[in-house]
Amino acid sequence: MNLTISGHHVEVTPAIREYVQTKLERVRRHFDQVIDIAVILTVDKLREKEKRHKADINLHISGKDIHVESLAHDLYAAIDALIDKLDRQVIKHKDKIQDHHHEAIKHMPDPASA
């Protein structure tokens, strides 16, 4: 698995890098077939101070690419919201892959006998 963490108008410190890696463990716990992860952390110079930190992630897993972004007043809050959104999408994708709840043909009632 390749992990790329980059910053735009922000320096990615070892503390931020470690924080992102520990948060991504939650996603890897649910789905371990991750091929590539690209995280982009951005600080925009906006007049409104509430939503100036942005976190984007591109997750490449077998069969699908997932893109998530979040905005927050704090970089750590943006990362937390990002991981929450990503976790929900990964669980949804995993459920779609493993959905074997359909009724088998041999167990269905025969329409000719009804």
Side-chain angles (χ1 to χ4, degrees), residues 43-76:
V43 176
D44 292 328
K45 294 185 178 181
L46 300 174
R47 291 184 184 252
E48 57 187 44
K49 299 290 182 187
E50 292 85 30
K51 304 279 187 178
R52 62 182 289 192
H53 294 274
K54 181 178 173 184
D56 292 328
I57 191 165
N58 288 319
L59 183 78
H60 179 66
I61 54 179
S62 59
K64 187 167 182 154
D65 290 331
I66 298 174
H67 175 76
V68 180
E69 71 178 39
S70 68
L71 296 167
H73 60 84
D74 183 21
L75 187 60
Y76 289 100

mmCIF file of all heavy atoms in Angstrom, residues 43-76:
data_model
loop_
_atom_site.group_PDB
_atom_site.id
_atom_site.type_symbol
_atom_site.label_atom_id
_atom_site.label_comp_id
_atom_site.label_asym_id
_atom_site.label_seq_id
_atom_site.Cartn_x
_atom_site.Cartn_y
_atom_site.Cartn_z
ATOM 1 N N VAL A 43 -4.576 24.760 3.302
ATOM 2 C CA VAL A 43 -5.053 25.908 4.079
ATOM 3 C C VAL A 43 -5.310 27.028 3.084
ATOM 4 O O VAL A 43 -4.402 27.491 2.399
ATOM 5 C CB VAL A 43 -4.016 26.345 5.134
ATOM 6 C CG1 VAL A 43 -4.504 27.589 5.853
ATOM 7 C CG2 VAL A 43 -3.741 25.230 6.115
ATOM 8 N N ASP A 44 -6.577 27.461 2.993
ATOM 9 C CA ASP A 44 -6.960 28.540 2.089
ATOM 10 C C ASP A 44 -7.012 29.851 2.853
ATOM 11 O O ASP A 44 -7.392 29.894 4.022
ATOM 12 C CB ASP A 44 -8.332 28.262 1.472
ATOM 13 C CG ASP A 44 -8.295 27.078 0.525
ATOM 14 O OD1 ASP A 44 -7.247 26.868 -0.102
ATOM 15 O OD2 ASP A 44 -9.320 26.385 0.421
ATOM 16 N N LYS A 45 -6.646 30.914 2.181
ATOM 17 C CA LYS A 45 -6.717 32.240 2.791
ATOM 18 C C LYS A 45 -8.058 32.860 2.434
ATOM 19 O O LYS A 45 -8.170 33.670 1.524
ATOM 20 C CB LYS A 45 -5.567 33.102 2.309
ATOM 21 C CG LYS A 45 -4.227 32.606 2.771
ATOM 22 C CD LYS A 45 -3.131 33.539 2.376
ATOM 23 C CE LYS A 45 -1.811 33.021 2.903
ATOM 24 N NZ LYS A 45 -0.706 33.908 2.565
ATOM 25 N N LEU A 46 -9.070 32.465 3.171
ATOM 26 C CA LEU A 46 -10.419 32.971 2.949
ATOM 27 C C LEU A 46 -10.750 34.040 3.991
ATOM 28 O O LEU A 46 -10.166 34.088 5.066
ATOM 29 C CB LEU A 46 -11.438 31.832 3.065
ATOM 30 C CG LEU A 46 -11.278 30.677 2.082
ATOM 31 C CD1 LEU A 46 -12.261 29.574 2.409
ATOM 32 C CD2 LEU A 46 -11.488 31.155 0.669
ATOM 33 N N ARG A 47 -11.707 34.880 3.669
ATOM 34 C CA ARG A 47 -12.138 35.902 4.631
ATOM 35 C C ARG A 47 -12.883 35.263 5.797
ATOM 36 O O ARG A 47 -12.763 35.699 6.924
ATOM 37 C CB ARG A 47 -13.020 36.934 3.953
ATOM 38 C CG ARG A 47 -12.255 37.787 2.980
ATOM 39 C CD ARG A 47 -13.158 38.858 2.406
ATOM 40 N NE ARG A 47 -12.424 39.592 1.406
ATOM 41 C CZ ARG A 47 -11.987 40.835 1.586
ATOM 42 N NH1 ARG A 47 -12.235 41.449 2.706
ATOM 43 N NH2 ARG A 47 -11.319 41.433 0.638
ATOM 44 N N GLU A 48 -13.661 34.250 5.498
ATOM 45 C CA GLU A 48 -14.374 33.561 6.570
ATOM 46 C C GLU A 48 -13.416 32.575 7.238
ATOM 47 O O GLU A 48 -12.805 31.738 6.594
ATOM 48 C CB GLU A 48 -15.601 32.843 6.031
ATOM 49 C CG GLU A 48 -15.308 31.854 4.928
ATOM 50 C CD GLU A 48 -16.538 31.277 4.294
ATOM 51 O OE1 GLU A 48 -17.458 32.053 4.019
ATOM 52 O OE2 GLU A 48 -16.560 30.069 4.077
ATOM 53 N N LYS A 49 -13.271 32.689 8.514
ATOM 54 C CA LYS A 49 -12.294 31.887 9.246
ATOM 55 C C LYS A 49 -12.816 30.492 9.585
ATOM 56 O O LYS A 49 -12.064 29.634 9.997
ATOM 57 C CB LYS A 49 -11.903 32.591 10.552
ATOM 58 C CG LYS A 49 -11.278 33.942 10.349
ATOM 59 C CD LYS A 49 -9.913 33.825 9.760
ATOM 60 C CE LYS A 49 -9.295 35.204 9.614
ATOM 61 N NZ LYS A 49 -8.060 35.207 8.910
ATOM 62 N N GLU A 50 -14.114 30.254 9.419
ATOM 63 C CA GLU A 50 -14.684 28.989 9.862
ATOM 64 C C GLU A 50 -14.228 27.805 9.014
ATOM 65 O O GLU A 50 -13.970 26.736 9.518
ATOM 66 C CB GLU A 50 -16.218 29.052 9.842
ATOM 67 C CG GLU A 50 -16.816 29.977 10.867
ATOM 68 C CD GLU A 50 -16.874 31.409 10.387
ATOM 69 O OE1 GLU A 50 -16.996 31.631 9.160
ATOM 70 O OE2 GLU A 50 -16.796 32.317 11.231
ATOM 71 N N LYS A 51 -14.168 27.985 7.722
ATOM 72 C CA LYS A 51 -13.935 26.856 6.819
ATOM 73 C C LYS A 51 -12.694 27.095 5.973
ATOM 74 O O LYS A 51 -12.770 27.162 4.762
ATOM 75 C CB LYS A 51 -15.147 26.656 5.907
ATOM 76 C CG LYS A 51 -16.443 26.453 6.619
ATOM 77 C CD LYS A 51 -16.584 25.038 7.084
ATOM 78 C CE LYS A 51 -17.981 24.844 7.645
ATOM 79 N NZ LYS A 51 -18.251 23.528 8.082
ATOM 80 N N ARG A 52 -11.554 27.221 6.577
ATOM 81 C CA ARG A 52 -10.378 27.500 5.774
ATOM 82 C C ARG A 52 -9.429 26.321 5.653
ATOM 83 O O ARG A 52 -8.530 26.345 4.851
ATOM 84 C CB ARG A 52 -9.658 28.732 6.275
ATOM 85 C CG ARG A 52 -9.137 28.634 7.681
ATOM 86 C CD ARG A 52 -8.495 29.903 8.094
ATOM 87 N NE ARG A 52 -7.245 30.068 7.368
ATOM 88 C CZ ARG A 52 -6.334 30.964 7.649
ATOM 89 N NH1 ARG A 52 -6.523 31.785 8.637
ATOM 90 N NH2 ARG A 52 -5.221 31.048 6.976
ATOM 91 N N HIS A 53 -9.618 25.274 6.432
ATOM 92 C CA HIS A 53 -8.768 24.089 6.338
ATOM 93 C C HIS A 53 -9.517 23.008 5.554
ATOM 94 O O HIS A 53 -10.670 22.710 5.828
ATOM 95 C CB HIS A 53 -8.419 23.561 7.728
ATOM 96 C CG HIS A 53 -7.571 24.516 8.496
ATOM 97 N ND1 HIS A 53 -6.209 24.540 8.386
ATOM 98 C CD2 HIS A 53 -7.892 25.491 9.378
ATOM 99 C CE1 HIS A 53 -5.725 25.478 9.163
ATOM 100 N NE2 HIS A 53 -6.737 26.078 9.786
ATOM 101 N N LYS A 54 -8.824 22.443 4.589
ATOM 102 C CA LYS A 54 -9.438 21.463 3.695
ATOM 103 C C LYS A 54 -8.569 20.217 3.653
ATOM 104 O O LYS A 54 -7.336 20.304 3.601
ATOM 105 C CB LYS A 54 -9.562 22.061 2.294
ATOM 106 C CG LYS A 54 -10.199 21.181 1.274
ATOM 107 C CD LYS A 54 -10.283 21.930 -0.048
ATOM 108 C CE LYS A 54 -10.754 21.050 -1.159
ATOM 109 N NZ LYS A 54 -10.742 21.751 -2.443
ATOM 110 N N ALA A 55 -9.212 19.056 3.676
ATOM 111 C CA ALA A 55 -8.511 17.784 3.564
ATOM 112 C C ALA A 55 -9.175 16.964 2.466
ATOM 113 O O ALA A 55 -10.391 16.817 2.452
ATOM 114 C CB ALA A 55 -8.547 17.029 4.893
ATOM 115 N N ASP A 56 -8.372 16.483 1.534
ATOM 116 C CA ASP A 56 -8.840 15.633 0.429
ATOM 117 C C ASP A 56 -8.139 14.294 0.522
ATOM 118 O O ASP A 56 -6.981 14.218 0.932
ATOM 119 C CB ASP A 56 -8.480 16.225 -0.933
ATOM 120 C CG ASP A 56 -9.222 17.497 -1.253
ATOM 121 O OD1 ASP A 56 -10.360 17.623 -0.801
ATOM 122 O OD2 ASP A 56 -8.643 18.342 -1.956
ATOM 123 N N ILE A 57 -8.835 13.260 0.090
ATOM 124 C CA ILE A 57 -8.203 11.947 0.011
ATOM 125 C C ILE A 57 -8.700 11.233 -1.234
ATOM 126 O O ILE A 57 -9.869 11.327 -1.606
ATOM 127 C CB ILE A 57 -8.473 11.116 1.282
ATOM 128 C CG1 ILE A 57 -7.602 9.869 1.325
ATOM 129 C CG2 ILE A 57 -9.924 10.731 1.396
ATOM 130 C CD1 ILE A 57 -7.544 9.206 2.659
ATOM 131 N N ASN A 58 -7.784 10.575 -1.909
ATOM 132 C CA ASN A 58 -8.094 9.689 -3.029
ATOM 133 C C ASN A 58 -7.647 8.298 -2.614
ATOM 134 O O ASN A 58 -6.466 8.063 -2.381
ATOM 135 C CB ASN A 58 -7.358 10.109 -4.300
ATOM 136 C CG ASN A 58 -7.932 11.373 -4.878
ATOM 137 O OD1 ASN A 58 -9.136 11.548 -4.914
ATOM 138 N ND2 ASN A 58 -7.058 12.267 -5.308
ATOM 139 N N LEU A 59 -8.588 7.395 -2.538
ATOM 140 C CA LEU A 59 -8.322 6.027 -2.108
ATOM 141 C C LEU A 59 -8.549 5.105 -3.293
ATOM 142 O O LEU A 59 -9.639 5.088 -3.865
ATOM 143 C CB LEU A 59 -9.253 5.665 -0.946
ATOM 144 C CG LEU A 59 -9.076 4.309 -0.315
ATOM 145 C CD1 LEU A 59 -7.870 4.359 0.613
ATOM 146 C CD2 LEU A 59 -10.309 3.931 0.461
ATOM 147 N N HIS A 60 -7.519 4.379 -3.671
ATOM 148 C CA HIS A 60 -7.622 3.442 -4.789
ATOM 149 C C HIS A 60 -7.653 2.040 -4.207
ATOM 150 O O HIS A 60 -6.682 1.592 -3.601
ATOM 151 C CB HIS A 60 -6.435 3.610 -5.733
ATOM 152 C CG HIS A 60 -6.454 2.669 -6.888
ATOM 153 N ND1 HIS A 60 -7.415 2.719 -7.874
ATOM 154 C CD2 HIS A 60 -5.642 1.647 -7.210
ATOM 155 C CE1 HIS A 60 -7.177 1.758 -8.747
ATOM 156 N NE2 HIS A 60 -6.102 1.098 -8.362
ATOM 157 N N ILE A 61 -8.806 1.376 -4.341
ATOM 158 C CA ILE A 61 -8.936 -0.002 -3.885
ATOM 159 C C ILE A 61 -9.270 -0.852 -5.098
ATOM 160 O O ILE A 61 -9.553 -0.334 -6.167
ATOM 161 C CB ILE A 61 -10.016 -0.139 -2.791
ATOM 162 C CG1 ILE A 61 -11.346 0.442 -3.245
ATOM 163 C CG2 ILE A 61 -9.576 0.536 -1.528
ATOM 164 C CD1 ILE A 61 -12.436 0.315 -2.224
ATOM 165 N N SER A 62 -9.202 -2.153 -4.920
ATOM 166 C CA SER A 62 -9.439 -3.027 -6.063
ATOM 167 C C SER A 62 -10.869 -2.861 -6.558
ATOM 168 O O SER A 62 -11.822 -3.126 -5.847
ATOM 169 C CB SER A 62 -9.183 -4.482 -5.673
ATOM 170 O OG SER A 62 -10.021 -4.856 -4.605
ATOM 171 N N GLY A 63 -11.008 -2.350 -7.762
ATOM 172 C CA GLY A 63 -12.306 -2.204 -8.381
ATOM 173 C C GLY A 63 -12.938 -0.836 -8.266
ATOM 174 O O GLY A 63 -13.953 -0.584 -8.891
ATOM 175 N N LYS A 64 -12.353 0.084 -7.495
ATOM 176 C CA LYS A 64 -13.014 1.372 -7.314
ATOM 177 C C LYS A 64 -12.020 2.418 -6.818
ATOM 178 O O LYS A 64 -11.064 2.106 -6.134
ATOM 179 C CB LYS A 64 -14.143 1.240 -6.294
ATOM 180 C CG LYS A 64 -14.978 2.479 -6.159
ATOM 181 C CD LYS A 64 -16.231 2.208 -5.393
ATOM 182 C CE LYS A 64 -17.016 3.501 -5.359
ATOM 183 N NZ LYS A 64 -18.409 3.325 -5.209
ATOM 184 N N ASP A 65 -12.286 3.667 -7.185
ATOM 185 C CA ASP A 65 -11.562 4.814 -6.648
ATOM 186 C C ASP A 65 -12.550 5.637 -5.830
ATOM 187 O O ASP A 65 -13.650 5.938 -6.302
ATOM 188 C CB ASP A 65 -10.981 5.685 -7.755
ATOM 189 C CG ASP A 65 -9.831 5.014 -8.474
ATOM 190 O OD1 ASP A 65 -9.138 4.206 -7.841
ATOM 191 O OD2 ASP A 65 -9.624 5.303 -9.666
ATOM 192 N N ILE A 66 -12.159 6.014 -4.629
ATOM 193 C CA ILE A 66 -13.016 6.790 -3.741
ATOM 194 C C ILE A 66 -12.350 8.131 -3.487
ATOM 195 O O ILE A 66 -11.173 8.183 -3.126
ATOM 196 C CB ILE A 66 -13.260 6.046 -2.417
ATOM 197 C CG1 ILE A 66 -13.980 4.721 -2.671
ATOM 198 C CG2 ILE A 66 -14.069 6.908 -1.457
ATOM 199 C CD1 ILE A 66 -14.131 3.862 -1.440
ATOM 200 N N HIS A 67 -13.105 9.209 -3.678
ATOM 201 C CA HIS A 67 -12.614 10.558 -3.409
ATOM 202 C C HIS A 67 -13.502 11.197 -2.352
ATOM 203 O O HIS A 67 -14.727 11.191 -2.477
ATOM 204 C CB HIS A 67 -12.632 11.419 -4.672
ATOM 205 C CG HIS A 67 -12.254 12.837 -4.410
ATOM 206 N ND1 HIS A 67 -10.958 13.220 -4.197
ATOM 207 C CD2 HIS A 67 -13.004 13.955 -4.295
ATOM 208 C CE1 HIS A 67 -10.929 14.525 -3.973
ATOM 209 N NE2 HIS A 67 -12.167 14.989 -4.034
ATOM 210 N N VAL A 68 -12.859 11.736 -1.302
ATOM 211 C CA VAL A 68 -13.587 12.386 -0.212
ATOM 212 C C VAL A 68 -12.872 13.687 0.119
ATOM 213 O O VAL A 68 -11.640 13.758 0.060
ATOM 214 C CB VAL A 68 -13.639 11.474 1.039
ATOM 215 C CG1 VAL A 68 -14.387 12.148 2.165
ATOM 216 C CG2 VAL A 68 -14.263 10.141 0.719
ATOM 217 N N GLU A 69 -13.648 14.718 0.469
ATOM 218 C CA GLU A 69 -13.043 15.960 0.931
ATOM 219 C C GLU A 69 -13.878 16.519 2.072
ATOM 220 O O GLU A 69 -15.069 16.247 2.184
ATOM 221 C CB GLU A 69 -12.907 16.982 -0.185
ATOM 222 C CG GLU A 69 -14.176 17.600 -0.680
ATOM 223 C CD GLU A 69 -13.912 18.641 -1.750
ATOM 224 O OE1 GLU A 69 -13.031 18.429 -2.603
ATOM 225 O OE2 GLU A 69 -14.597 19.664 -1.717
ATOM 226 N N SER A 70 -13.203 17.286 2.941
ATOM 227 C CA SER A 70 -13.907 17.906 4.059
ATOM 228 C C SER A 70 -13.292 19.263 4.350
ATOM 229 O O SER A 70 -12.106 19.493 4.105
ATOM 230 C CB SER A 70 -13.850 17.020 5.298
ATOM 231 O OG SER A 70 -12.535 16.952 5.782
ATOM 232 N N LEU A 71 -14.127 20.160 4.869
ATOM 233 C CA LEU A 71 -13.712 21.505 5.244
ATOM 234 C C LEU A 71 -13.997 21.697 6.725
ATOM 235 O O LEU A 71 -15.025 21.240 7.224
ATOM 236 C CB LEU A 71 -14.488 22.555 4.448
ATOM 237 C CG LEU A 71 -14.267 22.566 2.940
ATOM 238 C CD1 LEU A 71 -15.310 23.420 2.268
ATOM 239 C CD2 LEU A 71 -12.885 23.087 2.636
ATOM 240 N N ALA A 72 -13.101 22.412 7.416
ATOM 241 C CA ALA A 72 -13.312 22.674 8.837
ATOM 242 C C ALA A 72 -12.511 23.900 9.245
ATOM 243 O O ALA A 72 -11.693 24.422 8.480
ATOM 244 C CB ALA A 72 -12.930 21.472 9.675
ATOM 245 N N HIS A 73 -12.723 24.336 10.457
ATOM 246 C CA HIS A 73 -12.008 25.492 10.992
ATOM 247 C C HIS A 73 -10.621 25.116 11.483
ATOM 248 O O HIS A 73 -9.761 25.962 11.642
ATOM 249 C CB HIS A 73 -12.807 26.113 12.138
ATOM 250 C CG HIS A 73 -13.042 25.155 13.267
ATOM 251 N ND1 HIS A 73 -12.125 24.930 14.253
ATOM 252 C CD2 HIS A 73 -14.091 24.347 13.528
ATOM 253 C CE1 HIS A 73 -12.600 24.021 15.088
ATOM 254 N NE2 HIS A 73 -13.790 23.659 14.668
ATOM 255 N N ASP A 74 -10.395 23.824 11.716
ATOM 256 C CA ASP A 74 -9.130 23.318 12.236
ATOM 257 C C ASP A 74 -8.674 22.165 11.347
ATOM 258 O O ASP A 74 -9.497 21.405 10.838
ATOM 259 C CB ASP A 74 -9.341 22.835 13.674
ATOM 260 C CG ASP A 74 -8.072 22.348 14.329
ATOM 261 O OD1 ASP A 74 -6.983 22.720 13.866
ATOM 262 O OD2 ASP A 74 -8.173 21.599 15.320
ATOM 263 N N LEU A 75 -7.372 22.023 11.165
ATOM 264 C CA LEU A 75 -6.858 20.958 10.294
ATOM 265 C C LEU A 75 -7.164 19.574 10.871
ATOM 266 O O LEU A 75 -7.540 18.665 10.142
ATOM 267 C CB LEU A 75 -5.352 21.133 10.079
ATOM 268 C CG LEU A 75 -4.718 20.201 9.067
ATOM 269 C CD1 LEU A 75 -5.355 20.374 7.695
ATOM 270 C CD2 LEU A 75 -3.229 20.446 8.976
ATOM 271 N N TYR A 76 -7.030 19.428 12.175
ATOM 272 C CA TYR A 76 -7.318 18.135 12.792
ATOM 273 C C TYR A 76 -8.801 17.793 12.717
ATOM 274 O O TYR A 76 -9.169 16.630 12.523
ATOM 275 C CB TYR A 76 -6.831 18.122 14.242
ATOM 276 C CG TYR A 76 -5.327 18.102 14.351
ATOM 277 C CD1 TYR A 76 -4.610 19.261 14.610
ATOM 278 C CD2 TYR A 76 -4.621 16.920 14.180
ATOM 279 C CE1 TYR A 76 -3.229 19.242 14.695
ATOM 280 C CE2 TYR A 76 -3.245 16.884 14.258
ATOM 281 C CZ TYR A 76 -2.551 18.051 14.521
ATOM 282 O OH TYR A 76 -1.183 18.026 14.598
#
